[in-house]
Amino acid sequence: MTTAAVDTRPRARRMALPAAVFVGTLAAAVVIHLRDPNASGNYPTCPFLYLTGWYCPGCGSLRALHALTHLDVATALDRNPLATGALVGLVVGFVRWAARLWSGRPRPGLAPAWTLYALAALVIGYGVLRNLPGMEILSPA
């Protein structure tokens, strides 16, 4: 087993990709903030919902992100609690990634395979649950 070496590239070069991701995310957030997904015609319909009539695990995510850009956490959780929680995980992951690159620490090992399977089961289970009778609380409507 080999040990990862410390990243010796200049800090500005190490931080170029996190900076680009941050700027791109900020630009997308501004667009989502300014163009209300609740208004008809601003964004396309979910293709899965259009073709099947069922809510996919992502349905309501755009409306949840719009609510979050307006600091309305309750509405975001109402539209898509899974996406709202995932956003928290993405922010934490981004901060950890940027901090690691800032310090030059080596990349940690990969996550175990079971975490991918658990994440897939969570997303699929959520997609099934939100379409069952009696689970209208998970509906993005």
Side-chain angles (χ1 to χ4, degrees):
M1 185 186 323
T2 63
T3 58
V6 174
D7 194 343
T8 58
R9 294 177 296 162
R11 182 172 286 157
R13 185 153 182 210
R14 290 192 312 255
M15 296 307 292
L17 185 56
V21 169
F22 180 78
V23 168
T25 302
L26 188 60
V30 167
V31 170
I32 292 169
H33 179 81
L34 296 175
R35 289 187 59 111
D36 186 359
N38 297 299
S40 180
N42 277 345
Y43 296 97
T45 302
C46 170
F48 187 81
L49 177 64
Y50 179 76
L51 292 173
T52 66
W54 297 334
Y55 297 122
C56 77
C59 279
S61 298
L62 199 54
R63 287 178 280 160
L65 291 173
H66 177 74
L68 285 174
T69 65
H70 290 276
L71 305 178
D72 187 357
V73 177
T75 299
L77 288 168
D78 198 35
R79 295 294 175 247
N80 193 321
L82 184 66
T84 305
L87 183 62
V88 172
L90 287 170
V91 168
V92 168
F94 175 81
V95 168
R96 291 184 65 194
W97 174 54
R100 181 183 61 78
L101 288 175
W102 178 267
S103 68
R105 290 190 314 263
R107 182 186 309 195
L110 296 175
W114 68 264
T115 58
L116 260 180
Y117 295 126
L119 181 61
L122 174 70
V123 170
I124 292 168
Y126 176 71
V128 170
L129 278 176
R130 72 188 323 204
N131 288 291
L132 293 178
M135 296 301 290
E136 288 81 15
I137 192 166
L138 294 177
S139 154

